[in-house]
Amino acid sequence: MSSCAPGTLRNGEFVAPWACQHEARLYGETVLLRNNLPTAVTAWDDAIQATGQTLLPRFFSAPNAGAATTIVTGPNTGTEFCGSVSPATNVFIVYNETHLPCAASNNRGALLDLLIHEMSHYWGWAGGSHLGHNDAVAGVSDHCTLALPSAGGLNTTICHHHIEGGVAAYGLRTLPSPQNFWYTPFVVNWSGASLPDTLHLLVDGSATLQPGNFQTERGGTVSGVWNFQSSNSSVASVSGGIVTAGAPGNATITIRPVEGTGFYLTSAFAGSNRVVPVKVTAPPPPPPVALVVQDITINTSLPITSAGT
Protein backbone atom coordinates (compact mmCIF):
# COMPACT_ATOMS: atom_id res chain seq x y z
CA MET A 1 0.00 0.00 0.00
CA SER A 2 1.42 3.38 -0.97
CA SER A 3 -1.44 5.88 -1.09
CA CYS A 4 -2.41 7.90 1.98
CA ALA A 5 -6.12 8.25 2.77
CA PRO A 6 -6.99 9.45 6.30
CA GLY A 7 -9.88 7.49 7.75
CA THR A 8 -10.89 5.57 10.85
CA LEU A 9 -9.84 2.36 12.53
CA ARG A 10 -12.00 0.03 14.59
CA ASN A 11 -15.31 1.88 14.54
CA GLY A 12 -13.84 5.26 15.30
CA GLU A 13 -11.31 4.32 17.96
CA PHE A 14 -8.66 6.02 15.83
CA VAL A 15 -9.81 8.94 13.71
CA ALA A 16 -7.03 10.35 11.54
CA PRO A 17 -7.29 14.07 12.36
CA TRP A 18 -4.54 15.40 10.12
CA ALA A 19 -4.00 15.51 6.39
CA CYS A 20 -1.26 13.35 4.92
CA GLN A 21 2.18 14.96 5.41
CA HIS A 22 0.61 17.62 7.63
CA GLU A 23 3.10 19.37 9.92
CA ALA A 24 1.62 20.09 13.34
CA ARG A 25 3.66 22.52 15.47
CA LEU A 26 2.92 22.74 19.18
CA TYR A 27 3.84 25.52 21.58
CA GLY A 28 3.40 25.59 25.36
CA GLU A 29 1.57 28.59 26.81
CA THR A 30 3.65 28.61 30.02
CA VAL A 31 7.30 28.09 30.85
CA LEU A 32 6.43 24.83 32.61
CA LEU A 33 4.73 23.50 29.50
CA ARG A 34 7.51 24.67 27.21
CA ASN A 35 10.08 22.84 29.35
CA ASN A 36 8.26 19.52 28.98
CA LEU A 37 6.27 19.62 25.77
CA PRO A 38 9.19 19.22 23.29
CA THR A 39 10.21 15.88 24.83
CA ALA A 40 6.71 14.43 24.43
CA VAL A 41 6.29 15.81 20.91
CA THR A 42 9.66 14.47 19.76
CA ALA A 43 9.01 11.04 21.28
CA TRP A 44 5.81 10.65 19.27
CA ASP A 45 7.24 12.04 16.06
CA ASP A 46 10.26 9.70 16.30
CA ALA A 47 8.01 6.69 16.90
CA ILE A 48 5.78 7.55 13.95
CA GLN A 49 8.66 8.29 11.60
CA ALA A 50 10.34 5.01 12.54
CA THR A 51 7.70 3.26 10.43
CA GLY A 52 9.39 4.64 7.31
CA GLN A 53 6.03 5.93 6.07
CA THR A 54 6.89 9.39 4.74
CA LEU A 55 3.24 10.26 4.02
CA LEU A 56 2.26 10.37 7.69
CA PRO A 57 1.85 13.70 9.52
CA ARG A 58 4.78 15.16 11.42
CA PHE A 59 4.83 16.67 14.93
CA PHE A 60 7.22 19.46 15.88
CA SER A 61 7.76 21.91 18.72
CA ALA A 62 7.21 25.50 17.63
CA PRO A 63 9.85 28.10 18.65
CA ASN A 64 7.15 30.66 19.45
CA ALA A 65 3.40 31.12 19.47
CA GLY A 66 3.39 32.75 16.06
CA ALA A 67 4.91 29.65 14.45
CA ALA A 68 2.52 27.23 16.20
CA THR A 69 -0.46 25.44 14.75
CA THR A 70 -1.54 24.39 18.25
CA ILE A 71 -1.17 26.33 21.50
CA VAL A 72 -1.08 24.00 24.50
CA THR A 73 -2.72 25.88 27.35
CA GLY A 74 -2.34 25.16 31.03
CA PRO A 75 -0.80 26.07 34.37
CA ASN A 76 2.71 27.10 35.27
CA THR A 77 2.70 25.23 38.60
CA GLY A 78 1.55 21.89 39.95
CA THR A 79 2.74 18.41 40.83
CA GLU A 80 0.10 16.21 39.17
CA PHE A 81 -1.72 16.87 35.93
CA CYS A 82 -4.65 15.84 33.75
CA GLY A 83 -5.48 16.89 30.22
CA SER A 84 -8.05 17.28 27.50
CA VAL A 85 -7.35 17.03 23.78
CA SER A 86 -9.59 17.46 20.75
CA PRO A 87 -7.66 17.48 17.47
CA ALA A 88 -10.86 18.22 15.56
CA THR A 89 -11.12 21.61 17.28
CA ASN A 90 -7.36 21.98 17.81
CA VAL A 91 -7.74 22.11 21.60
CA PHE A 92 -4.99 20.85 23.89
CA ILE A 93 -5.50 21.78 27.56
CA VAL A 94 -3.50 20.75 30.62
CA TYR A 95 -4.91 20.95 34.17
CA ASN A 96 -3.20 20.56 37.55
CA GLU A 97 -4.56 19.09 40.76
CA THR A 98 -6.29 22.32 41.72
CA HIS A 99 -8.73 21.84 38.85
CA LEU A 100 -11.73 19.98 40.28
CA PRO A 101 -12.10 17.22 37.63
CA CYS A 102 -8.37 16.53 37.83
CA ALA A 103 -8.39 16.60 41.63
CA ALA A 104 -11.03 13.88 41.66
CA SER A 105 -9.28 11.67 39.08
CA ASN A 106 -6.89 8.83 39.81
CA ASN A 107 -5.58 8.98 36.26
CA ARG A 108 -3.16 11.82 36.64
CA GLY A 109 0.58 12.03 36.90
CA ALA A 110 3.74 14.01 36.34
CA LEU A 111 3.54 16.61 33.60
CA LEU A 112 5.77 14.81 31.09
CA ASP A 113 3.86 11.55 31.63
CA LEU A 114 0.59 13.40 31.08
CA LEU A 115 1.83 15.08 27.90
CA ILE A 116 3.00 11.75 26.45
CA HIS A 117 -0.44 10.28 27.22
CA GLU A 118 -2.34 13.22 25.72
CA MET A 119 -0.20 13.11 22.57
CA SER A 120 -1.79 9.70 21.87
CA HIS A 121 -5.10 11.55 21.50
CA TYR A 122 -3.49 14.34 19.53
CA TRP A 123 -2.17 11.63 17.17
CA GLY A 124 -5.74 10.42 16.71
CA TRP A 125 -6.83 7.88 19.33
CA ALA A 126 -10.31 8.75 20.60
CA GLY A 127 -10.82 9.56 24.24
CA GLY A 128 -12.60 6.88 26.22
CA SER A 129 -11.84 4.22 23.63
CA HIS A 130 -13.04 0.91 25.07
CA LEU A 131 -9.85 -0.88 24.04
CA GLY A 132 -6.46 0.13 25.35
CA HIS A 133 -7.92 2.87 27.55
CA ASN A 134 -8.91 2.80 31.22
CA ASP A 135 -7.21 -0.60 31.53
CA ALA A 136 -10.13 -2.31 29.74
CA VAL A 137 -7.77 -4.78 28.09
CA ALA A 138 -5.08 -6.80 29.84
CA GLY A 139 -2.04 -8.08 28.03
CA VAL A 140 -0.51 -6.21 25.16
CA SER A 141 -1.93 -2.76 25.85
CA ASP A 142 -1.86 -2.64 29.64
CA HIS A 143 1.57 -1.01 29.67
CA CYS A 144 0.95 1.50 26.87
CA THR A 145 0.57 5.22 27.31
CA LEU A 146 -3.02 5.09 26.03
CA ALA A 147 -4.00 2.68 28.83
CA LEU A 148 -4.92 4.38 32.10
CA PRO A 149 -4.32 2.02 35.03
CA SER A 150 -7.14 1.83 37.55
CA ALA A 151 -4.63 2.21 40.38
CA GLY A 152 -3.78 5.69 39.17
CA GLY A 153 -0.75 7.17 37.53
CA LEU A 154 0.06 7.16 33.84
CA ASN A 155 1.88 4.74 31.58
CA THR A 156 4.63 6.23 29.45
CA THR A 157 5.33 3.56 26.83
CA ILE A 158 4.44 4.50 23.26
CA CYS A 159 3.42 1.07 22.01
CA HIS A 160 3.60 -0.15 18.44
CA HIS A 161 -0.16 -0.70 18.65
CA HIS A 162 -0.56 3.06 18.97
CA ILE A 163 1.65 3.69 15.97
CA GLU A 164 0.59 0.85 13.66
CA GLY A 165 -3.09 1.47 14.31
CA GLY A 166 -2.58 5.02 13.10
CA VAL A 167 -0.66 3.83 10.06
CA ALA A 168 -3.63 1.61 9.19
CA ALA A 169 -6.07 4.50 9.71
CA TYR A 170 -4.08 6.51 7.17
CA GLY A 171 -4.45 3.64 4.71
CA LEU A 172 -0.76 2.77 4.64
CA ARG A 173 -0.99 -0.79 5.98
CA THR A 174 -3.51 -3.50 6.74
CA LEU A 175 -4.18 -5.15 10.06
CA PRO A 176 -5.71 -8.63 9.76
CA SER A 177 -8.26 -9.72 12.36
CA PRO A 178 -8.79 -6.21 13.77
CA GLN A 179 -11.14 -7.50 16.45
CA ASN A 180 -8.06 -8.94 18.18
CA PHE A 181 -5.90 -5.90 17.57
CA TRP A 182 -5.03 -5.14 21.20
CA TYR A 183 -4.51 -8.78 22.15
CA THR A 184 -2.13 -9.63 19.33
CA PRO A 185 1.59 -8.92 19.86
CA PHE A 186 3.67 -6.91 17.44
CA VAL A 187 7.01 -8.28 16.27
CA VAL A 188 9.76 -5.69 16.46
CA ASN A 189 12.96 -7.66 15.92
CA TRP A 190 14.51 -11.10 15.57
CA SER A 191 16.07 -13.20 18.30
CA GLY A 192 18.48 -15.42 16.36
CA ALA A 193 22.23 -15.60 16.44
CA SER A 194 24.15 -13.12 14.31
CA LEU A 195 24.29 -13.95 10.64
CA PRO A 196 27.75 -14.04 9.02
CA ASP A 197 29.02 -10.86 7.39
CA THR A 198 30.07 -12.95 4.38
CA LEU A 199 29.53 -16.62 3.64
CA HIS A 200 32.52 -18.36 1.99
CA LEU A 201 31.77 -21.64 0.23
CA LEU A 202 33.49 -24.04 -2.15
CA VAL A 203 31.59 -25.35 -5.17
CA ASP A 204 29.14 -28.06 -4.05
CA GLY A 205 29.52 -26.92 -0.45
CA SER A 206 26.59 -25.75 1.69
CA ALA A 207 25.79 -23.83 4.85
CA THR A 208 22.63 -23.05 6.84
CA LEU A 209 21.46 -19.53 7.69
CA GLN A 210 19.38 -19.40 10.88
CA PRO A 211 17.86 -15.95 11.57
CA GLY A 212 15.95 -17.36 14.55
CA ASN A 213 12.54 -16.55 16.00
CA PHE A 214 10.69 -13.24 16.00
CA GLN A 215 10.94 -11.03 19.07
CA THR A 216 7.79 -9.30 20.28
CA GLU A 217 7.46 -5.82 21.70
CA ARG A 218 7.32 -7.03 25.30
CA GLY A 219 10.35 -9.30 25.00
CA GLY A 220 8.77 -12.66 24.20
CA THR A 221 9.37 -14.67 21.05
CA VAL A 222 7.15 -16.33 18.46
CA SER A 223 8.04 -18.75 15.71
CA GLY A 224 8.78 -16.78 12.59
CA VAL A 225 8.90 -17.66 8.92
CA TRP A 226 11.60 -16.19 6.71
CA ASN A 227 11.75 -15.77 2.97
CA PHE A 228 15.17 -16.45 1.42
CA GLN A 229 16.15 -15.20 -2.03
CA SER A 230 19.40 -15.41 -3.97
CA SER A 231 20.58 -12.75 -6.37
CA ASN A 232 22.35 -15.41 -8.46
CA SER A 233 20.99 -18.92 -7.98
CA SER A 234 23.56 -20.44 -10.37
CA VAL A 235 26.30 -19.32 -7.99
CA ALA A 236 24.42 -19.87 -4.72
CA SER A 237 20.92 -21.32 -4.46
CA VAL A 238 18.94 -21.20 -1.23
CA SER A 239 16.05 -23.25 0.12
CA GLY A 240 14.76 -23.04 3.67
CA GLY A 241 17.91 -21.26 4.75
CA ILE A 242 20.26 -23.87 3.27
CA VAL A 243 22.67 -22.21 0.86
CA THR A 244 24.28 -24.46 -1.77
CA ALA A 245 27.21 -23.33 -3.89
CA GLY A 246 26.87 -24.11 -7.60
CA ALA A 247 29.64 -22.23 -9.39
CA PRO A 248 32.47 -19.81 -8.60
CA GLY A 249 31.30 -16.22 -8.25
CA ASN A 250 29.42 -13.82 -5.98
CA ALA A 251 25.79 -13.79 -4.86
CA THR A 252 23.68 -12.16 -2.17
CA ILE A 253 21.13 -13.91 0.01
CA THR A 254 18.31 -11.60 1.11
CA ILE A 255 16.26 -12.65 4.13
CA ARG A 256 12.83 -11.12 4.74
CA PRO A 257 10.33 -11.73 7.56
CA VAL A 258 6.93 -13.10 6.56
CA GLU A 259 3.63 -12.08 8.17
CA GLY A 260 1.96 -14.95 9.97
CA THR A 261 -0.91 -15.71 12.34
CA GLY A 262 -0.96 -14.79 16.01
CA PHE A 263 1.18 -11.68 15.60
CA TYR A 264 1.66 -8.57 13.48
CA LEU A 265 4.90 -7.28 11.99
CA THR A 266 5.63 -3.63 12.68
CA SER A 267 6.08 -1.51 9.57
CA ALA A 268 9.78 -1.05 10.24
CA PHE A 269 10.43 -4.76 10.84
CA ALA A 270 8.28 -5.90 7.91
CA GLY A 271 10.34 -3.70 5.60
CA SER A 272 13.69 -4.75 6.99
CA ASN A 273 15.95 -7.09 5.03
CA ARG A 274 18.93 -9.04 6.25
CA VAL A 275 21.56 -9.42 3.57
CA VAL A 276 24.33 -12.02 3.54
CA PRO A 277 26.95 -11.81 0.73
CA VAL A 278 28.13 -15.20 -0.54
CA LYS A 279 31.48 -15.83 -2.20
CA VAL A 280 31.90 -19.18 -3.96
CA THR A 281 35.31 -20.41 -5.04
CA ALA A 282 36.37 -23.51 -6.97
CA PRO A 283 38.04 -26.30 -5.03
CA PRO A 284 41.86 -26.21 -5.28
CA PRO A 285 43.35 -28.55 -7.95
CA PRO A 286 44.60 -31.91 -6.74
CA PRO A 287 48.35 -32.14 -6.03
CA PRO A 288 50.55 -33.32 -8.98
CA VAL A 289 51.21 -37.06 -9.29
CA ALA A 290 54.78 -37.94 -8.28
CA LEU A 291 56.85 -40.14 -10.70
CA VAL A 292 57.99 -43.23 -8.83
CA VAL A 293 60.87 -45.26 -10.27
CA GLN A 294 60.81 -48.81 -9.02
CA ASP A 295 63.37 -50.81 -11.15
CA ILE A 296 66.40 -49.84 -13.21
CA THR A 297 68.04 -52.44 -15.51
CA ILE A 298 71.47 -51.80 -17.02
CA ASN A 299 72.42 -54.11 -19.90
CA THR A 300 76.16 -54.12 -19.37
CA SER A 301 78.61 -55.47 -16.94
CA LEU A 302 79.51 -53.53 -13.88
CA PRO A 303 81.48 -51.57 -12.94
CA ILE A 304 81.59 -49.19 -15.92
CA THR A 305 85.18 -48.01 -16.22
CA SER A 306 85.55 -46.87 -19.82
CA ALA A 307 85.66 -43.10 -20.31
CA GLY A 308 82.68 -41.68 -22.15
CA THR A 309 80.39 -44.56 -21.40
Side-chain angles (χ1 to χ4, degrees), residues 185-230:
F186 269 101
V187 169
V188 298
N189 211 327
W190 61 308
S191 63
S194 297
L195 295 170
D197 294 331
T198 303
L199 191 60
H200 295 273
L201 293 174
L202 297 177
V203 171
D204 295 330
S206 65
T208 301
L209 299 177
Q210 296 177 313
N213 290 330
F214 293 162
Q215 183 175 339
T216 63
E217 181 178 45
R218 301 200 71 174
T221 59
V222 293
S223 297
V225 176
W226 299 90
N227 174 268
F228 298 87
Q229 291 184 330
S230 173

Side-chain angles (χ1 to χ4, degrees), residues 23 40-41 57-58 70 103 105 122 129 159 176 188 192 199 205 223 230 232 237 259 275 284 286-287:
E23 293 187 358
V41 171
R58 295 293 308 270
T70 299
S105 173
Y122 192 78
S129 171
C159 290
V188 298
L199 191 60
S223 297
S230 173
N232 191 336
S237 60
E259 189 73 77
V275 176

Side-chain angles (χ1 to χ4, degrees), residues 28 35 76 78 111 119 211 225 241 290:
N35 286 341
N76 203 29
L111 180 57
M119 282 295 298
V225 176

Side-chain angles (χ1 to χ4, degrees), residues 9-10 125 161 165 175 177-184 186 264:
L9 177 75
R10 297 182 54 82
W125 289 101
H161 285 77
L175 291 172
S177 304
Q179 67 271 20
N180 295 321
F181 175 70
W182 286 104
Y183 294 98
T184 307
F186 269 101
Y264 302 135

Side-chain angles (χ1 to χ4, degrees), residues 197-201 209 230 235-236 243-245 249-253 276-280:
D197 294 331
T198 303
L199 191 60
H200 295 273
L201 293 174
L209 299 177
S230 173
V235 171
V243 182
T244 302
N250 297 307
T252 299
I253 305 299
V276 179
V278 181
K279 293 186 177 181
V280 178

